[in-house]
Amino acid sequence: MAVKDYEAVIGLEIHVELLTESKMFCGSAVTFGEEPNTHTCPICLGLPGTLPVTNKKAIEYITMIGLALNCKINPISQFHRKNYFYPDMPKDYQISQYDIPVASNGFLDVELDGGERRVRILRAHIEEDTGKLLHESKSGRLHEAKYSLVDFNRAGTPLAETVTEPDIRSAEQAVAFVSQLRSIVQHLGVSDGNMEEGSLRVDANISLRPVGSNEFGVKAEVKNMNSFRSLKKALNFEIERQEELLRNGGEVHQETRHWDEKLGRTTTLRRKEEVQDYRYFPDPDLVPFNLTEDYVEEIRSKLPELPKDRKKRFIEEYGLPAHDARVLTQSKAVGDYFDEAVKLYKKDPKNVSNWIIGEFSYHLKNANLEIDESAITPKHLVNLLNLIDKKTISGKIAKEVFDEMFNTGKLPDIIVEEKQLVQIVDESEIEKIVDAVLEENAQAVEDLKSGKEKALGFLVGQVMRFSKGKANPEIVNRLIKKKI
Ligand code: ADP
Ligand code: MG
């Protein structure tokens, strides 16, 4: 029997914490990393007799997200109670939305290097976040802990949840989708979308089916991916796990699985609840709310530039290739940086792009920094480009200067002066070094005379080495050729 080929089917549920000043239903401040249990009140602690009051800003933000995802904004919307017991949730129910979310039936066109894929959005709704549990064990996991601590600072923070249709077919597509959604919420200014800090959290639903089949298989849900890298690894692991199971005649269980970053695998967390387990019912403390056409249109008219518009502008206004424009709009901070730098260096936007996408990204990745956390401001970068243009320094030295400014935050002008890196363009000075190198490398000179072109590179390299990289390479080349 031929081996079946399987296709992955993936749907994502993405939560983003909204950047409102106060929580979803009370006046406690939304904070991150503060002393535990210092930003709470009787409402977000779920004390009896308190009443929630809806945060207007949070409704505005979820409406903006809905519109940016091409959703229909429902004129009447409602809060439901999702009932379950867990110690991070003081009320024993979470205020969420159920059958009438704020937004539904949208889509996002996800761009990949190989083309575009439309992912339909089932819904985008608003809910409140839970508190945080700290399990006192080495692994930080519950089953090894003697006790757990609970911090309610996060409890009640507004969360926007976006749910996709199962339209995603690979880990790469999932990463591209999340990356684009993250850039959208950043551009909207409604969330910082930081996966590492947990302000953007992805639950991935994955199933497999034989290629050509129209039916969906049983899915598993995977949680706890804290970066794009781990999202990709977790999805690929889960796809392989299910494939092996199915190939060996086993079956996938409907369950929630935990991605273990250290072990590089997913493990069973719990058998998945069914929707009826939650006993959803309308929250009697919160009446349905009305989002009128006027309200929605006003928000639509005030939407800021979104990543796709920005990308278009980068292509049309700055003449960038589509690939560059896409990379530069993957996060708001990078787009802002590019815009700022080009303002200072209008003559060649592509040059700015090359440095950001190349050298700069490489350094940021190694240092695990975002562009706006780096000491290199647009002014620094443009200073460097100008030094190269004026031939004050060579391209090779520029990389050295870049390194130094990345580590110290000094301006290139200062670094070049302090380290005396100015390029040598004085021919007589270079000639002295060339003469010395030719004398010392008789063999290479012979090789070059007999037509071995490789010897030229070697000799140029030697001159560059003796000049500590400062000799102008074109002059070096010319002089060597002249002398042989
Ligand atoms: P549940 O009730 O189990 O939470 P939902 O219908 O609410 O399931 O869907 C949750 C997410 O799972 C959605 O993103 C949806 O696209 C995705 N999904 C649903 N069925 C499948 C499937 N068979 N395989 C992969 N993903 C699925
Ligand atoms: Mg669900």
Side-chain angles (χ1 to χ4, degrees):
M1 205 176 72
V3 182
K4 269 196 215 158
D5 273 329
Y6 290 97
E7 167 182 68
V9 172
I10 301 170
L12 302 174
E13 296 167 277
I14 300 161
H15 293 86
V16 296
E17 278 178 358
L18 298 180
L19 285 171
T20 52
E21 278 173 32
S22 56
K23 294 185 181 178
M24 188 63 221
F25 299 110
C26 66
S28 295
V30 170
T31 56
F32 179 80
E34 302 255 325
E35 192 65 14
N37 298 306
T38 52
H39 294 280
T40 59
C41 75
I43 295 176
C44 58
L45 287 176
L47 301 189
T50 56
L51 282 174
V53 177
T54 305
N55 185 326
K56 198 170 154 188
K57 203 75 194 170
I59 300 295
E60 191 180 315
Y61 285 178
I62 187 71
T63 306
M64 288 166 75
I65 292 173
L67 290 174
L69 296 175
N70 307 292
C71 289
K72 172 177 181 279
I73 304 299
N74 296 306
I76 291 179
S77 193
Q78 194 168 20
F79 287 110
H80 273 68
R81 291 186 182 178
K82 179 178 180 180
N83 299 277
Y84 67 95
F85 171 78
Y86 209 64
D88 61 5
M89 213 180 41
K91 299 193 297 297
D92 290 345
Y93 62 83
Q94 176 191 27
I95 305 177
S96 181
Q97 295 199 278
Y98 181 53
D99 51 354
I100 355 181
V102 167
S104 49
N105 296 327
F107 63 87
L108 181 61
D109 289 326
V110 177
E111 290 177 54
L112 296 142
D113 270 328
E116 216 177 51
R117 181 173 183 88
R118 177 159 292 192
V119 175
R120 289 168 301 154
I121 308 291
L122 197 62
R123 57 192 279 145
H125 72 247
I126 188 102
E127 60 186 29
E128 57 176 346
D129 208 347
T130 59
K132 257 187 199 159
L133 289 176
L134 190 71
H135 305 303
E136 285 295 327
S137 64
K138 248 199 215 130
S139 65
R141 293 195 64 188
L142 172 64
H143 59 272
E144 287 160 7
K146 284 218 180 74
Y147 61 91
S148 299
L149 301 168
V150 60
D151 173 10
F152 286 119
N153 280 352
R154 196 181 68 180
T157 295
L159 279 182
E161 175 171 352
T162 301
V163 184
T164 77
E165 296 278 1
D167 287 346
I168 297 168
R169 295 289 173 269
S170 69
E172 289 71 26
Q173 286 176 16
V175 168
F177 179 90
V178 177
S179 165
Q180 241 158 284
L181 180 68
R182 174 172 172 266
S183 187
I184 287 174
V185 296
Q186 290 175 341
H187 278 80
L188 291 171
V190 302
S191 176
D192 58 24
N194 189 325
M195 274 183 102
E196 282 81 4
E197 287 177 2
S199 58
L200 186 153
R201 307 194 282 272
V202 181
D203 301 340
N205 298 272
I206 305 153
S207 65
L208 255 52
R209 65 179 175 190
V211 168
S213 157
N214 286 322
E215 275 161 44
F216 289 142
V218 176
K219 71 179 173 9
E221 182 176 344
V222 181
K223 290 177 181 290
N224 194 44
M225 292 78 82
N226 296 324
S227 66
F228 285 110
R229 224 176 111 247
S230 61
L231 174 63
K232 186 166 158 188
K233 281 202 286 188
L235 288 179
N236 279 329
F237 175 89
E238 186 58 22
I239 291 167
E240 272 174 43
R241 185 190 72 88
Q242 291 187 15
E243 185 163 338
E244 197 169 308
L245 253 174
L246 295 174
R247 274 198 204 294
N248 293 320
E251 42 187 70
V252 175
H253 295 295
Q254 166 129 345
E255 62 183 357
T256 303
R257 299 179 68 85
H258 175 93
W259 167 249
D260 188 320
E261 182 73 38
K262 275 203 205 90
L263 298 179
R265 56 194 308 263
T266 63
T267 52
T268 298
L269 193 64
R270 56 175 178 264
R271 285 291 159 98
K272 175 90 181 159
E273 305 79 2
E274 300 283 328
V275 63
Q276 62 268 20
D277 295 335
Y278 290 121
R279 307 289 194 276
Y280 276 98
F281 67 88
D283 193 318
D285 291 340
L286 291 156
V287 293
F289 54 99
N290 200 322
L291 303 179
T292 64
E293 222 168 281
D294 285 352
Y295 172 83
V296 174
E297 285 319 307
E298 185 174 345
I299 290 182
R300 193 196 301 276
S301 71
K302 285 197 302 210
L303 286 181
E305 184 181 50
L306 290 170
K308 70 170 183 348
D309 310 317
R310 192 173 217 181
K311 184 186 153 210
K312 198 160 160 247
R313 178 164 65 78
F314 284 0
I315 294 171
E316 286 171 3
E317 213 169 283
Y318 299 142
L320 290 187
H323 170 81
D324 290 48
R326 178 156 65 79
V327 175
L328 294 172
T329 51
Q330 259 170 7
S331 88
K332 176 162 191 296
V334 174
D336 289 350
Y337 191 101
F338 178 73
D339 263 326
E340 195 65 29
V342 169
K343 256 189 233 152
L344 303 170
Y345 189 87
K346 294 197 187 72
K347 63 180 163 190
D348 191 355
K350 175 63 179 149
N351 195 20
V352 176
S353 169
N354 289 346
W355 276 87
I356 295 178
I357 294 177
E359 197 72 12
F360 204 175
S361 295
Y362 173 78
H363 276 77
L364 290 170
K365 206 169 173 184
N366 283 344
N368 196 19
L369 287 177
E370 297 292 325
I371 201 162
D372 53 351
E373 295 167 334
S374 157
I376 300 183
T377 67
K379 198 174 137 199
H380 284 79
L381 182 62
V382 170
N383 185 183
L384 183 70
L385 301 188
N386 284 327
L387 287 173
I388 303 169
D389 292 347
K390 283 189 291 188
K391 299 207 188 318
T392 309
I393 55 172
S394 64
K396 190 155 173 281
I397 292 289
K399 297 214 164 151
E400 196 180 320
V401 174
F402 192 96
D403 222 56
E404 178 79 9
M405 74 169 168
F406 190 85
N407 294 326
T408 64
K410 285 184 186 164
L411 276 170
D413 278 339
I414 311 256
I415 297 170
V416 167
E417 200 187 294
E418 278 179 2
K419 297 198 140 188
Q420 302 187 358
L421 295 172
V422 175
Q423 181 163 238
I424 307 169
V425 286
D426 179 344
E427 292 214 8
S428 61
E429 205 173 320
I430 297 177
E431 196 167 359
K432 276 184 218 148
I433 307 174
V434 169
D435 286 341
V437 165
L438 294 186
E439 210 179 295
E440 266 174 45
N441 295 281
Q443 184 58 48
V445 173
E446 283 314 308
D447 287 350
L448 185 57
K449 278 184 180 157
S450 65
K452 288 188 187 149
E453 277 300 308
K454 253 168 81 184
L456 177 63
F458 171 76
L459 290 168
V460 172
Q462 290 300 305
V463 176
M464 294 309 289
R465 207 162 65 95
F466 277 107
S467 70
K468 299 208 172 68
K470 291 191 289 185
N472 176 304
E474 285 142 44
I475 300 177
V476 173
N477 250 291
R478 183 156 49 73
L479 288 179
I480 293 178
K481 279 187 191 154
K482 199 178 86 182
K483 284 176 183 279
I484 284 178

